[in-house]
């Protein structure tokens, strides 16, 4: 489904992604973790070309994402992206947020889009808040609307960039629950997160990154109980002590 | 149009232009100083405890801001003589410019003072500083840093406003352009040269604004 | 004497109202054109094309660096030698629209740029095109920071329209100027002109301030 082949990226002189090779298959849930500045956010932002790459090849669903001539709209319609800071549109209701892309990008009718949107909002547990504005919702609720917004497009892939990092602790679980359900239903997901409990439960693989490189790739239980790399050991000891 | 641009004529009129340039400069500087003084007084009135003074200040400021400068200029130019006050044109012009920009300066200063977080003043009171000390060490330095940019902005506006003085027969930059038009039928040379001089003043003031902001700004500590 | 002049002035009231209508016409047309042009250029100015952004930037600087009176003279006197013969009214509207557009362009551009970057990213991520992003996501949010200064700019356009009286447009300022030739009571005549401008501008300024307060409060709640 997603294929990185020798992907390299620079921010000016800074080499932020170094020779990334990774395959994510259909239905897999891959968790990406690592210290700050390791490039994990940049990695998934390249998948829907929110960030461009300078070398290598990134293929999503048989389409070369960084080909200048490709129609990005088609690719982006198949990828749902969840941001750390939610980025909900403040001037639209929850329903409006979820329906805008299906109506404008997939060219659905308003009725059709609203039907799908309502289902998505119910699925994330917000069926009674469809006409609320983001300002009237808590952080956890806003992030769940953001997930519904991604789902409204019926994507093949969902990408999560530290979805719970900006939430107060008591709201983290409501969002992780929704993500767990999605994983169980077979959605192809790539999640950048520090939530190790979540990773252990639903991830098929954990990708550990440091300093722009993929250091280790292993099933979660293997990685968390017996990391092979020095840096992996160091990282785990620093986050598991609290 | 540009092939026939007559540089010789501009050279010929250059002494006049330089004279007018100095006139514009002189009129602007005089009005600027006056406007800042008027602004400080009007602001003090506006912020005073006395209801009468505060009202008077507000009436002055709102009247100026809701009417065009040209109307204010004509008001003094045609109005003062009917009161028996005969003044040379340039003084009338300076009065109008001073009173006009004075109102805007009053607002700029007021905004600067009110923007200073009250906590600063409380800290000053708590450490025993009196009113004048608080003004001198806490309020005014910060207000100065914050208002430099809008004050220079208003100075630029004032220089441009001085062009209206040409309409009451004062010899300044815009009038020079009018002369070239009426004497030699060369509005292009006349007004483009005038524009060039104004642009010179504009860029000088803008550069000064950038330079002073870097050197004088007192940033709020967070 | 005074009451005689007052009586004469009141008899000229229809003349003043005609002039007021002319002011509304010139300012109104200028305002509408400036808004349309200003919005289009503002959107470009906030976009990604560096060359276009610089060109617009130079144009804005030229207009900000020269007095409006000089711009009016340039349009009225210089364009004819480039082959465009203009009467006073169209020249006035063109000069006013040109100036207004440059200021509105900057207001619109900074409004657009003040929308948080994350909004654009979310819209891009869901596949919305640049046009769709601007229309449904960016502009609606930008309007919040555009409208108060926009109304303020409208007031400036109305006041600056008084300057076109210098090329003979018979607006309310010119009516005052013509009237004072036969009713030599400058204070009364231009007092009346001032009141007429005040009646239009003062409510608009208050509207702009009111909207600014409302917009800021809602934004902080978000």
């Amino acid at each position: 489904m997603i294929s990185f082949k020798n992907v390299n990226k620079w921010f000016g002189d800074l080499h932020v992604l170094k020779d990334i090779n990774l395959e994510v298959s259909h239905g897999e849930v891959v968790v990406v973790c690592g210290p700050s500045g390791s490039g994990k956010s940049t990695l998934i932002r390249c998948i829907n070309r929110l960030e461009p790459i300078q070398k290598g090849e990134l293929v999503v669903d048989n389409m070369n994402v960084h080909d200048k001539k490709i129609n990005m709209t088609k690719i982006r319609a198949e990828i749902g992206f969840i941001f750390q800071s939610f980025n909900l549109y403040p001037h639209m209701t929850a329903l409006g947020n979820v329906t805008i892309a299906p109506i404008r990008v997939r060219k659905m009718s308003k009725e059709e889009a609203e039907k799908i949107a309502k289902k998505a909002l119910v699925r994330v547990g917000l069926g009674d808040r469809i006409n609320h504005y983001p300002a009237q919702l808590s952080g956890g609720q806003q992030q769940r609307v953001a997930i519904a917004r991604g789902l409204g497009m019926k994507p093949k892939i969902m990408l999560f960039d530290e979805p719970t990092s900006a939430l107060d602790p008591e709201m983290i679980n409501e969002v992780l629950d929704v993500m767990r359900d999605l994983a169980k239903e077979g959605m192809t997901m790539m999640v950048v997160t520090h939530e190790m409990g979540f990773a252990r439960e639903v991830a098929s693989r954990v990708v550990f990154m440091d300093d722009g490189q993929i250091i280790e790739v292993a099933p979660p239980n293997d990685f968390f109980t017996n990391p092979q790399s020095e840096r992996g050991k160091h990282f785990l000891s620093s986050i598991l002590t609290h | 149009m540009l092939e026939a641009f007559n540089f010789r004529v501009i050279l010929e009129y250059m002494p006049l232009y330089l004279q007018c340039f100095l006139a514009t400069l002189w009129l602007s500087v005089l009005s600027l100083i006056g406007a800042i003084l008027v602004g400080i007084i009007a602001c003090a009135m506006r912020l005073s405890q006395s209801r009468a003074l505060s009202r008077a200040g507000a009436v002055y400021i709102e009247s100026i801001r809701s009417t065009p400068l040209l109307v204010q200029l004509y008001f003094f130019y045609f109005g003062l003589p009917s009161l028996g006050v005969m003044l040379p044109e340039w003084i009338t012009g300076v009065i109008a410019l001073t009173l006009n920009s004075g109102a805007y300066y009053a607002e700029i200063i007021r905004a600067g003072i009110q923007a200073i977080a009250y906590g600063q003043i409380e800290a000053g009171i708590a450490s025993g500083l009196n009113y004048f000390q608080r003004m001198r060490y806490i309020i005014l330095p910060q207000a100065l840093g914050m208002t430099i940019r809008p004050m220079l902005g208003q100075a630029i506006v004032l220089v441009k406003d001085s062009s209206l003085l040409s309409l009451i027969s004062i010899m300044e930059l815009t009038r020079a352009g009018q002369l070239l038009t009426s004497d030699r039928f060369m509005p292009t040379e006349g007004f483009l040269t005038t524009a060039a001089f104004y642009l010179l003043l504009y860029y000088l003031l803008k550069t000064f604004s950038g330079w002073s902001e870097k050197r004088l700004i007192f940033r709020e500590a967070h | 004497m005074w009451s005689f002049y007052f009586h004469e002035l009141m008899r000229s009231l229809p003349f003043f109202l005609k002039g007021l209508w002319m002011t509304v016409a010139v300012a109104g047309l200028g305002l509408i054109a400036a808004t349309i042009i200003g919005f289009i250029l503002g959107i470009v100015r906030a976009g990604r094309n560096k060359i276009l952004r610089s060109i617009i930037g130079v144009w804005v600087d030229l207009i900000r660096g020269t007095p409006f009176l000089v711009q009016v003279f340039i349009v009225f006197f210089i364009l004819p030698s480039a082959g465009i013969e203009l009467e006073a009214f169209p020249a006035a509207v063109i000069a006013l629209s040109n100036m207004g557009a440059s200021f509105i362009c900057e207001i619109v551009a900074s409004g657009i740029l003040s929308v948080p970057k994350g909004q654009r990213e979310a819209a891009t991520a869901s596949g919305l095109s640049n046009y769709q992003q601007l229309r449904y996501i960016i502009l609606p949010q930008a309007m919040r920071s555009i409208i108060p200064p926009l109304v303020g700019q409208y007031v400036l356009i109305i006041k600056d329209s008084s300057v076109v009286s210098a090329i003979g447009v018979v607006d309310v300022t010119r009516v005052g100027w013509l009237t004072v030739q036969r009713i030599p009571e400058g204070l009364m005549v231009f007092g009346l002109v001032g009141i007429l401008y005040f009646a239009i501008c003062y409510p608009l300024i208050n509207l702009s301030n009111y909207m600014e307060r409302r917009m800021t409060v809602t934004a902080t709640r978000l």
Side-chain angles (χ1 to χ4, degrees):
Chain A
M1 210 77 249
I2 306 175
S3 163
F4 287 79
K5 289 205 176 77
N6 290 320
V7 169
N8 278 278
K9 179 179 171 58
W10 285 263
F11 275 128
D13 281 335
L14 198 60
H15 197 174
V16 291
L17 290 179
K18 302 173 182 164
D19 291 321
I20 304 288
N21 283 288
L22 183 65
E23 298 277 333
V24 177
S25 11
H26 181 79
E28 256 208 282
V29 175
V30 172
V31 163
V32 183
C33 65
S36 254
S38 53
K40 42 192 207 297
S41 277
T42 313
L43 185 83
I44 66 165
R45 284 164 66 97
C46 290
I47 298 177
N48 66 350
R49 224 212 269 176
L50 278 177
E51 302 285 353
I53 61 175
Q54 283 80 38
K55 248 176 87 174
E57 212 182 60
L58 223 185
V59 178
V60 172
D61 200 18
N62 290 317
M63 293 185 274
N64 186 343
V65 170
H66 292 263
D67 182 356
K68 291 291 180 179
K69 289 182 256 120
I70 203 144
N71 181 355
M72 274 316 293
T73 310
K74 267 182 66 189
I75 299 183
R76 287 176 175 147
E78 301 299 337
I79 303 177
F81 198 98
I82 311 301
F83 296 87
Q84 182 177 348
S85 48
F86 334 133
N87 288 339
L88 288 183
Y89 308 131
H91 57 302
M92 297 178 180
T93 60
L95 191 65
N97 264 274
V98 180
T99 54
I100 176 114
I103 294 175
R104 301 292 159 196
V105 178
R106 288 217 192 269
K107 314 279 192 221
M108 285 186 202
S109 71
K110 194 156 173 252
E111 298 78 39
E112 232 194 305
E114 285 191 355
K115 246 173 57 187
I116 297 178
K118 283 181 191 157
K119 274 217 209 99
L121 284 165
V122 167
R123 189 174 174 189
V124 302
L126 289 169
D128 57 340
R129 298 265 202 273
I130 60 175
N131 290 314
H132 279 67
Y133 284 90
Q136 301 167 302
L137 301 171
S138 72
Q141 291 169 330
Q142 288 186 50
Q143 193 62 301
R144 285 188 278 150
V145 172
I147 296 177
R149 183 171 64 173
L151 289 173
M153 292 288 276
K154 295 201 181 283
K156 294 190 182 139
I157 301 171
M158 298 256 311
L159 303 175
F160 297 79
D161 186 0
E162 304 216 36
T164 55
S165 298
L167 294 175
D168 287 337
E170 64 269 18
M171 297 193 232
I172 293 181
N173 267 321
E174 66 192 65
V175 173
L176 289 182
D177 283 342
V178 171
M179 290 167 66
R180 265 186 275 261
D181 287 338
L182 278 178
K184 291 196 178 112
E185 287 164 18
M187 173 67 77
T188 312
M189 292 162 67
M190 246 181 114
V191 183
V192 175
T193 185
H194 297 296
E195 296 293 328
M196 299 300 133
F198 170 81
R200 282 182 115 127
E201 253 186 83
V202 289
S204 49
R205 279 187 293 162
V206 168
V207 172
F208 172 68
M209 278 184 79
D210 191 2
D211 198 28
Q213 289 173 294
I214 294 182
I215 308 291
E216 217 178 309
V217 180
N221 271 321
D222 291 0
F223 178 67
F224 290 125
T225 50
N226 194 9
Q228 301 292 342
S229 61
E230 273 311 302
R231 285 194 264 183
K233 290 194 182 110
H234 183 82
F235 174 69
L236 282 175
S237 64
S238 64
I239 63 164
L240 289 174
T241 41
H242 61 81
Chain B
M1 177 171 66
L2 275 171
E3 328 85 58
F5 203 79
N6 198 332
F7 284 100
R8 247 189 328 113
V9 171
I10 296 181
L11 227 52
E12 189 190 318
Y13 274 75
M14 198 43 82
L16 174 70
Y17 268 102
L18 289 173
Q19 221 176 23
C20 293
F21 179 69
L22 285 174
T24 293
L25 217 52
W26 167 239
L27 291 163
S28 304
V29 168
L30 222 55
S31 310
L32 191 61
I33 297 173
I36 294 179
L37 289 172
V38 169
I40 293 176
I41 296 174
C43 180
M45 283 172 68
R46 189 85 174 71
L47 292 177
S48 92
Q49 306 287 43
S50 149
R51 211 125 175 279
L53 280 180
S54 176
R55 267 292 175 72
V59 165
Y60 158 62
I61 294 172
E62 294 308 317
S63 316
I64 296 282
R65 292 208 310 177
S66 301
T67 50
L69 171 59
L70 187 56
V71 173
Q72 296 160 16
L73 184 60
Y74 284 154
F75 181 79
F76 288 114
Y77 181 66
F78 291 110
L80 287 177
S82 63
L83 287 176
V85 180
M86 304 301 281
L87 292 169
E89 291 94 9
W90 72 270
I91 296 188
T92 312
V94 170
I95 290 177
L97 285 177
T98 300
L99 288 176
N100 182 277
S101 281
Y104 290 100
Y105 275 121
E107 287 295 277
I108 290 172
I109 297 172
R110 178 163 80 98
I113 290 180
Q114 289 182 329
I116 297 176
Y118 189 63
Q120 303 261 327
I121 303 176
E122 287 195 313
I125 296 176
S127 38
L129 294 172
N130 68 33
Y131 181 76
F132 290 107
Q133 288 170 323
R134 292 199 301 272
M135 265 292 163
R136 173 149 183 230
Y137 296 109
I138 302 177
I139 298 177
L140 285 180
Q142 292 188 63
L144 182 72
M146 276 193 282
T147 55
I148 277 270
R149 186 128 20 104
M151 287 195 99
L152 279 166
Q154 185 59 34
I156 293 177
V157 171
L158 192 147
V159 168
K160 292 195 291 175
D161 282 345
S162 71
S163 68
L164 291 185
L165 265 45
S166 65
L167 298 177
I168 57 171
S169 322
I170 295 177
M171 238 0 229
E172 46 74 72
L173 270 180
T174 309
R175 193 109 180 90
Q178 290 171 2
L179 269 182
L180 249 186
T181 305
S182 58
D183 282 2
R184 303 293 209 95
F185 299 106
M186 291 180 161
T188 313
E189 287 79 356
F191 289 119
L192 287 184
T193 312
T194 297
F197 272 102
Y198 278 112
L199 281 169
L200 178 66
L201 282 171
Y202 174 66
Y203 280 113
L204 281 174
L205 279 170
K206 253 184 91 170
T207 313
F208 178 64
S209 172
W211 172 87
S212 62
E213 220 181 308
K214 282 207 184 92
R215 292 203 54 200
L216 294 178
I217 198 140
F218 292 80
R219 295 213 187 275
E220 228 179 89
H222 279 281
Chain C
M1 200 77 279
W2 190 88
S3 61
F4 169 69
Y5 284 137
F6 185 74
H7 191 69
E8 281 299 301
L9 190 61
M10 288 302 112
R11 274 184 35 173
S12 311
L13 216 50
F15 192 24
F16 278 89
L17 291 176
K18 268 182 80 179
L20 190 61
W21 173 239
M22 179 61 88
T23 292
V24 169
V26 173
L29 285 175
L31 205 143
I32 293 173
T35 306
I36 296 174
I37 302 173
F39 261 89
I40 296 175
L41 289 175
I43 290 172
V44 174
R45 184 105 162 101
R48 272 174 300 189
N49 190 324
K50 280 199 191 128
I51 302 174
L52 284 178
R53 284 205 326 252
S54 312
I55 296 178
I56 298 178
V58 169
W59 169 72
V60 168
D61 251 1
L62 285 176
I63 294 184
R64 283 193 165 165
T66 49
F68 181 55
L69 178 61
V70 174
Q71 293 171 24
V72 169
F73 285 147
I74 288 178
V75 170
F76 187 58
F77 288 113
I78 300 184
L79 284 194
S81 40
I84 314 173
E85 277 295 331
L86 280 176
E87 290 194 0
F89 182 82
V93 174
I94 290 176
L96 208 52
S97 314
N98 186 45
M99 184 205 63
S102 78
F103 284 95
I104 293 179
C105 162
E106 291 299 279
I107 292 173
V108 169
S110 63
I112 290 177
L113 291 172
S114 72
V115 176
K117 194 172 157 222
Q119 292 292 304
R120 209 175 309 252
E121 292 197 327
T124 306
S126 26
L128 292 168
S129 74
N130 277 328
Y131 166 72
Q132 290 170 328
Q133 282 182 40
L134 202 59
R135 184 165 165 204
Y136 299 108
I137 310 295
I138 307 291
L139 266 185
Q141 295 184 60
M143 287 311 269
R144 165 159 285 142
S145 32
I146 290 178
I147 293 194
L150 186 67
V151 176
Q153 187 59 41
Y154 286 166
V155 173
L156 290 177
I157 292 178
I158 294 172
K159 289 198 291 179
D160 279 338
S161 73
S162 62
V163 172
V164 307
S165 61
I167 54 171
V169 174
V170 188
D171 70 337
V172 70
T173 306
R174 186 101 179 127
V175 167
W177 190 89
L178 291 168
T179 307
V180 84
Q181 315 292 336
R182 50 180 194 91
I183 305 180
E185 274 294 334
L187 294 178
M188 260 200 283
V189 171
F190 284 104
L192 175 60
V193 175
I195 288 172
L196 291 171
Y197 275 106
F198 189 88
I200 303 177
C201 296
Y202 186 66
L204 278 177
I205 292 182
N206 281 353
L207 181 66
S208 166
N209 288 340
Y210 169 73
M211 285 197 283
E212 172 128 40
R213 275 197 307 269
R214 268 200 67 191
M215 304 280 183
T216 340
V217 169
T218 338
T220 14
R221 252 201 289 129
L222 275 172

